[in-house]
Amino acid sequence: MVTSRRQFIKIGALGAGSLALAGSSFNLAKGSSILDKISGAGTGEPLRTPTYCEICFWQCAGWVYKDEDGKIQKIVGNDDDQHCNGRFCPRGTGGVGQYNDEDRLKTPLIRTREGDKESFREASWDEALDYIAGKMRAIAQKHGPECVALFTHGSGGAHFGQMMKAFGSASIAAPSFAQCRGPREVGFLTTFGDIIYSPERIDIRDTRCMVLIGSHLGENMHNGQVQEMSDAIDKGATIITVDPRFSTAAGKSKYWLPIKPATDLALLLSWIHVIIENEWYDKDYVERYTVGFEQLKEHVKTFTPEWAYGITTIDPNVIRETAREMHNAAPSVIVNPGRHVTWYGDDTQRLRAVAILTALLGSWGRRGGYYKPEKLHLPNYPVPPFPEPKRNPTQAYEGKYTLANEVVANGLCDATIPTVDRSCNYKAWIVNGTNLLAAFPNQANTLKAIDALELLVVVDTMPVEITGYADVVLPECTYLERYDMLRNSNHRQPNLALRMPAAEPKYNTKPASWIAQELARKLGLSAWFPWKNIEEMLDWQLKEMGSSLEEMKRIGVKNFPREADDLYFSPGEEVVFNTTSGKIELYSSDMESAGFEPLPVYTAHEEPPEGYYRLNYGRAPMHTFSRTANNPNLTDLMDENVLWVNPKVARLWGLETGQYIKLKNQDEKISTFAIKVRVTERIRWDSVYMVHGFGHNNKKLSRAHGRGINDTEMITRVHIDPVMGGTGMRGNFVTFITDFEKEGKEAEA
Amino acid sequence: MRYAMAVDTKKCVGCSDCVVACQTENNVPIGFCRDWVVEVTDGTYPQLEVEIRSERCNHCENSPCVRCCPTGASHYAEGGVVLVTPHKCIGCGACIASCPYDARYPHPDGHVDKCTFCLHNRVEKGLDPACVSVCPTKCMYFGDLDDPNSPVSKVLKTRKFKTLIPEAGTNPQLYFLI
């Protein structure tokens, strides 16, 4: 066992001295601060300020309301916002809990070493940023600025990204690609020459049939989609849910296909077979827009429902019937591409099959299928050209993941671990808004990379696990206390949304925009941050669009007219697709030339050994990733995850609902904490299920510590998608440990 | 005027947004709630049904809580909405024991608290109750049953519905669309 160079430090009772600041900041609401200028003051109207939510990536725009004492009372949706239509989800409504969370990071911290003992000491912003700038300069001198990588998720990315590019590094990655939606973007890009975007360009509100494959909308609280699914149910749309678990969506579906886990691709190929054999595809559309139909037809010839039955355990008649449902609804049918789709390592191929099915049904570019989204061409505040980085991030994984259209975050992580055959090793990470120890599977690998770093800077609002490994921790204020870049999203109508502070930053916290600008100043990079403050930059951008900061403070969201007149293809329209052939590629030339199967092929995945069960994980509507697990409002709704176990399995093991157990996986990894069993008919006997994002091991997360199991910790085996570097996480198997020393919450039970 | 609410179990996904929105709108202390979500599973794998309901005070026309309240704190307000007047409440808990729906809780300030249909803070201003206005699935319908054009009247005319524990004889005004 190698001793880690870097000890994990639990952030202690620090920042107590700065608590005094918090009290006084409340009073600003009544004083002469920002709030007078915003709205309502003196008009009898309640004070409200616009924001867009940062609790998840959906970024719904809303209003923050304050009471007479200037205290944030509630957050509600903005009626003009296409992301939320005036209705926030539970996480957005509970966003106030992030602001009120007393466990927040409160002041900058610097790691100090005295002999064997490492600890954090409080520092001023000036000192902390000087320290970082010094280290960054030294690393740039010794190794080159391109050896600094930024991992980010959320709004801070734009600010730190600007700083990175000015510094000379293009290694900017988000786990939202290779740990999440990457395979679907690449699957659709290689087929249609375009990606799905976020929010997804799927026209659920007008669909007649939606197929969900492992996607559990409703538990997965993608606000606009859940709303539109509800509208579609009202209008009588057919929902077909494919899931080994009887999800909430399955309960709303006409068909639930309780598929054997890891066999979805066989079902998709069989649907394609049925649709082609019965000539249920859109002949005109296929002829006009696609290439490779004959090869596809030949390829799926043997993939009969009876063939698929042996693999998926789905009744062949049900496969035919559901294919007919899709055909009857076509082109108003959505085979939902999902979002978190890094499952088994052949995920791009599975999403290719989804894309092919979509093309056969003619639903891309059609009402009730996929629409053409638009976003504004929002100019950036003029800055000098960025220096040419000496290395591209893709050089970190040279020759691999060649079809990835975004940076592969785990590729950068791997390239941080020194090896003899790689010249590019990262020496410093800046991590903003993502708890990489929960986002990346195979924690041992992540820790190995962290151990090799000369500098780890973590910018976050909460003392999440990754902060414990940092050299410097920078406390960001919450989204309710800051400006950020304008939200400029792809949607039915181009639109902008403003986030502005509803309150002064609590404690000694700062907005990412300020942190990045200040760090850039210390690095001598102010030329790339020429604005006085972010308000000036936003106002410049808004004026370019014929609006202003003043107007946006009043309205929060502004929708703009579309450039293209229609959301859909018009009948017979000539369309040139952004693929090699200019057509929809059923047979993918990009895949072929990159050395991958040009048509999706089903390969059997490993099955759990005797006494083990496949570990599946998912979402709960009141939590986002691991970042909300300590939010007082949201833990009030759900404060631990539970393990779904089929009653047959429970009988075999003598498990009862409410009992706490630990898990052990195929690599003998035993969970740190225990989890409560939920015996339920809603899950197959060959798998277990838990909600992601629990089992935090930092005691300073007082509500989240030790509650439930961290699924990421149990995902030690990763199946990498060779096409785009995705980390397949559903090939891990667990068994139960009922006899263990109880501690914490389970001891009380 | 008879205020009532209908909850569509075919649309509710149990996200609990109604619970948080009520807490922030009505300053319900963390750890307590005026509304909550119930999930009922029927059948065995793979023949299954799940019903999800957002529940709250049923604002019964024949309310045991009003009848048993010794001080008159629990009372019928406008439109039949059952309310508690905090300063009249002595916190004896008789209403909590009498409610077949377990819709009431002892507020840390010493009085009993429950759903008000947001009568004074929203409905009287022409707004829907907080839970109705926030629900992402729009599964809740609120309004006056005496008004045939109110959302709740209209939906109850076209959909099958049920009430909870009708045998208690309380005549609940919270309907569930099934």
Side-chain angles (χ1 to χ4, degrees):
Chain A
M1 184 89 188
V2 184
T3 320
S4 173
R5 190 182 64 76
R6 186 185 296 271
Q7 290 171 5
F8 175 79
I9 309 175
K10 287 172 176 155
I11 290 172
L14 292 159
S18 46
L19 271 166
L21 285 172
S24 62
S25 70
F26 276 129
N27 300 331
L28 289 166
K30 283 180 174 166
S32 59
S33 185
I34 44 171
L35 297 154
D36 278 327
K37 297 172 206 153
I38 298 154
S39 65
T43 63
E45 286 292 305
L47 286 171
R48 66 175 200 181
T49 49
T51 190
Y52 59 86
C53 187
E54 185 75 5
I55 305 289
C56 92
F57 44 77
W58 209 257
Q59 300 192 318
C60 297
W63 297 107
V64 185
Y65 283 83
K66 309 179 78 165
D67 60 21
E68 294 90 23
D69 300 329
K71 212 173 133 197
I72 294 178
Q73 189 211 351
K74 60 175 181 178
I75 314 170
V76 299
N78 185 321
D79 288 337
D80 294 330
D81 183 36
Q82 298 172 82
H83 293 226
C84 76
N85 307 301
R87 291 163 185 263
F88 263 23
C89 86
R91 298 163 302 163
T93 308
V96 60
Q98 194 186 40
Y99 170 74
N100 288 328
D101 196 328
E102 70 284 2
D103 293 337
R104 280 170 59 175
L105 291 168
K106 298 183 174 86
T107 198
L109 304 171
I110 298 178
R111 173 180 294 260
T112 57
R113 297 183 171 89
E114 270 177 52
D116 283 349
K117 192 162 159 36
E118 299 184 15
S119 58
F120 282 126
R121 66 177 174 84
E122 291 184 23
S124 69
W125 278 97
D126 210 33
E127 190 189 2
L129 294 176
D130 274 336
Y131 180 94
I132 297 167
K135 286 266 187 182
M136 282 176 75
R137 262 205 218 95
I139 288 168
Q141 221 156 46
K142 208 158 104 197
H143 311 284
E146 64 278 5
C147 289
V148 179
L150 168 67
F151 295 92
T152 178
H153 196 273
S155 303
H159 312 297
F160 292 108
Q162 181 91 355
M163 189 270 297
M164 289 286 287
K165 285 183 255 171
F167 185 64
S169 174
S171 293
I172 302 168
S176 50
F177 181 72
Q179 282 63 55
C180 195
R181 59 183 169 74
R184 79 162 198 217
E185 308 296 17
V186 177
F188 275 68
L189 198 57
T190 48
T191 312
F192 294 101
D194 205 355
I195 61 166
I196 305 288
Y197 298 110
S198 175
E200 285 78 2
R201 59 198 294 179
I202 45 182
D203 207 13
I204 304 180
R205 69 178 184 198
D206 283 328
T207 200
R208 293 173 58 208
C209 176
M210 178 158 71
V211 185
L212 297 169
I213 302 167
S215 168
H216 49 316
L217 273 185
E219 286 155 286
N220 217 339
M221 201 65 216
H222 299 162
N223 193 349
Q225 285 188 5
V226 174
Q227 294 188 20
E228 291 197 20
M229 179 166 81
S230 193
D231 293 343
I233 290 171
D234 258 348
K235 290 193 230 166
T238 298
I239 299 174
I240 299 166
T241 296
V242 181
D243 203 313
R245 190 174 63 93
F246 191 77
S247 60
T248 297
K252 313 287 178 201
S253 300
K254 181 169 173 190
Y255 298 92
W256 170 46
L257 279 54
I259 195 164
K260 180 173 164 181
T263 66
D264 314 80
L265 185 48
L267 173 68
L268 282 157
L269 290 170
S270 185
W271 271 335
I272 294 172
H273 167 94
V274 173
I275 282 169
I276 291 181
E277 289 299 307
N278 290 291
E279 301 193 12
W280 287 345
Y281 56 94
D282 187 328
K283 290 195 189 100
D284 178 64
Y285 187 98
V286 167
E287 195 176 324
R288 191 184 293 272
Y289 297 132
T290 72
V291 290
F293 179 75
E294 287 308 318
Q295 286 124 306
L296 175 67
K297 187 175 176 181
E298 185 58 33
H299 178 69
V300 299
K301 213 169 191 126
T302 56
F303 302 146
T304 61
E306 283 70 22
W307 166 81
Y309 170 62
I311 297 167
T312 62
T313 74
I314 303 299
D315 181 342
N317 292 325
V318 173
I319 297 179
R320 289 196 178 86
E321 214 176 307
T322 44
R324 185 194 282 278
E325 286 272 1
M326 290 181 229
H327 161 63
N328 287 342
S332 297
V333 51
I334 297 164
V335 185
N336 197 310
R339 189 151 178 137
H340 173 79
V341 286
T342 45
W343 301 346
Y344 309 117
D346 60 352
D347 306 299
T348 306
Q349 293 290 8
R350 186 180 68 253
L351 272 297
R352 269 271 299 147
V354 169
I356 290 168
L357 193 53
T358 298
L360 293 176
L361 294 161
S363 62
W364 180 269
R366 296 285 187 72
R367 181 182 296 276
Y370 288 74
Y371 62 81
K372 292 187 277 184
E374 270 191 25
K375 76 187 265 189
L376 282 188
H377 309 290
L378 184 66
N380 289 323
Y381 197 102
V383 293
F386 292 112
E388 193 64 37
K390 285 204 199 72
R391 244 186 334 235
N392 244 322
T394 52
Q395 283 168 276
Y397 38 89
E398 192 85 63
K400 291 199 281 187
Y401 322 143
T402 44
L403 292 183
N405 64 316
E406 290 181 37
V407 177
V408 178
N410 44 303
L412 302 194
C413 177
D414 293 346
T416 306
I417 302 167
T419 56
V420 282
D421 60 343
R422 195 188 296 115
S423 60
C424 167
N425 289 317
Y426 292 100
K427 300 295 181 193
W429 288 3
I430 298 171
V431 180
N432 172 225
T434 172
N435 184 13
L436 289 184
L437 290 167
F440 286 148
N442 193 354
Q443 288 184 333
N445 190 65
T446 312
L447 290 174
K448 219 157 110 186
I450 288 175
D451 221 28
L453 290 172
E454 290 176 20
L455 175 68
L456 174 58
V457 179
V458 176
V459 189
D460 212 308
T461 60
M462 296 298 298
V464 290
E465 282 72 17
I466 183 94
T467 57
Y469 298 91
D471 294 297
V472 185
V473 178
L474 300 178
E476 194 181 5
C477 59
T478 69
Y479 68 105
L480 297 171
E481 303 158 296
R482 69 185 192 227
Y483 282 102
D484 265 308
M485 302 301 275
L486 296 162
R487 189 201 73 191
N488 178 18
S489 66
N490 268 291
H491 220 291
R492 290 182 175 103
Q493 248 185 292
N495 62 89
L496 291 176
L498 174 70
R499 170 185 294 160
M500 67 174 294
E504 297 284 328
K506 264 194 192 184
Y507 315 114
N508 190 19
T509 64
K510 295 280 186 191
S513 58
W514 180 90
I515 302 170
Q517 186 172 17
E518 197 57 16
L519 184 55
R521 193 176 62 79
K522 289 183 185 288
L523 288 164
L525 307 171
S526 286
W528 287 275
F529 289 83
W531 43 86
K532 194 169 82 232
N533 51 33
I534 186 169
E535 286 114 297
E536 184 188 307
M537 190 250 282
L538 296 176
D539 194 44
W540 181 89
Q541 278 192 304
L542 285 163
K543 287 198 168 124
E544 289 288 305
M545 302 315 299
S547 178
S548 67
L549 190 56
E550 192 277 324
E551 182 190 39
M552 289 300 285
K553 284 179 180 180
R554 268 188 291 113
I555 59 177
V557 169
K558 190 165 174 135
N559 293 311
F560 293 79
R562 283 175 65 88
E563 275 180 17
D565 46 358
D566 205 352
L567 282 168
Y568 317 106
F569 300 161
S570 46
E573 182 182 331
E574 284 305 313
V575 183
V576 179
F577 296 86
N578 194 22
T579 55
T580 309
S581 61
K583 301 263 188 189
I584 298 170
E585 299 204 349
L586 303 176
Y587 183 96
S588 168
S589 53
D590 282 349
M591 290 288 268
E592 188 171 40
S593 53
F596 305 113
E597 298 284 355
L599 288 164
V601 175
Y602 169 75
T603 41
H605 296 292
E606 197 186 343
E607 292 187 24
E610 172 102 38
Y612 282 75
Y613 306 88
R614 187 182 297 273
L615 175 63
N616 280 334
Y617 54 84
R619 306 275 184 238
M622 58 291 278
H623 283 288
T624 304
F625 315 139
S626 65
R627 70 164 66 154
T628 54
N630 204 65
N631 178 313
N633 294 75
L634 301 179
T635 49
D636 200 25
L637 301 173
M638 177 182 184
D639 65 352
E640 62 186 319
N641 56 359
V642 296
L643 188 75
W644 294 37
V645 180
N646 182 282
K648 282 183 197 157
V649 177
R651 246 194 320 277
L652 211 61
W653 288 82
L655 301 180
E656 282 173 20
T657 292
Q659 173 185 0
Y660 279 93
I661 59 167
K662 284 195 172 186
L663 296 178
K664 182 173 80 173
N665 80 356
Q666 74 283 333
D667 297 327
E668 304 287 317
K669 170 77 190 175
I670 296 173
S671 62
T672 310
F673 301 110
I675 191 168
K676 204 194 262 185
V677 170
R678 175 191 182 182
V679 179
T680 173
E681 290 286 354
R682 292 174 61 185
I683 183 145
R684 266 176 79 105
W685 54 89
D686 51 7
S687 49
V688 291
Y689 172 84
M690 67 172 78
V691 168
H692 169 77
F694 288 84
H696 282 269
N697 67 11
N698 194 343
K699 284 195 170 139
K700 284 301 137 191
L701 296 167
S702 60
R703 277 172 293 273
H705 176 256
R707 299 293 170 96
I709 286 180
N710 176 354
D711 56 316
T712 309
E713 167 183 71
M714 307 310 290
I715 301 172
T716 53
R717 191 181 296 176
V718 186
H719 297 277
I720 301 282
D721 190 330
V723 180
M724 46 60 70
T727 49
M729 306 191 226
R730 295 207 171 153
N732 287 263
F733 311 114
V734 294
T735 191
F736 312 120
I737 300 176
T738 50
D739 188 21
F740 59 92
E741 205 177 321
K742 294 180 171 57
E743 52 180 334
K745 202 189 172 203
E746 67 269 16
E748 299 158 20
Chain B
M1 187 178 283
R2 287 185 299 150
Y3 283 123
M5 189 185 287
V7 179
D8 191 345
T9 64
K10 298 286 182 198
K11 294 204 289 186
C12 176
V13 294
C15 73
S16 306
D17 202 1
C18 43
V19 182
V20 202
C22 173
Q23 282 177 329
T24 57
E25 181 72 39
N26 297 304
N27 288 316
V28 175
I30 284 177
F32 301 93
C33 58
R34 291 180 177 182
D35 53 355
W36 60 94
V37 171
V38 172
E39 188 187 288
V40 186
T41 305
D42 266 326
T44 52
Y45 197 98
Q47 257 67 53
L48 287 164
E49 266 181 47
V50 169
E51 182 175 288
I52 305 175
R53 300 190 297 259
S54 166
E55 293 188 4
R56 57 189 54 58
C57 170
N58 282 250
H59 296 280
C60 308
E61 285 188 341
N62 181 19
S63 299
C65 55
V66 173
R67 217 177 320 123
C68 75
C69 178
T71 67
S74 281
H75 64 282
Y76 299 107
E78 186 194 353
V81 175
V82 176
L83 295 183
V84 182
T85 309
H87 72 266
K88 283 194 191 168
C89 175
I90 53 169
C92 71
C95 56
I96 295 177
S98 77
C99 175
Y101 307 102
D102 198 16
R104 295 169 162 247
Y105 71 92
H107 193 283
D109 287 352
H111 60 86
V112 166
D113 193 40
K114 59 175 278 298
C115 165
T116 62
F117 271 165
C118 292
L119 182 67
H120 297 318
N121 51 340
R122 295 185 60 96
V123 172
E124 284 173 359
K125 294 175 187 163
L127 301 167
D128 273 331
C131 54
V132 178
S133 75
V134 80
C135 176
T137 68
K138 288 168 253 172
C139 78
M140 286 174 245
Y141 302 82
F142 178 78
D144 176 7
L145 283 181
D146 287 339
D147 172 5
N149 289 319
S150 71
V152 67
S153 300
K154 284 209 287 212
V155 79
L156 289 178
K157 240 175 263 164
T158 55
R159 290 281 301 275
K160 239 168 98 173
F161 61 83
K162 67 175 181 186
T163 55
L164 297 179
I165 328 180
E167 64 275 18
T170 59
N171 204 5
Q173 294 308 303
L174 182 59
Y175 298 87
F176 293 94
L177 308 176
I178 47 177

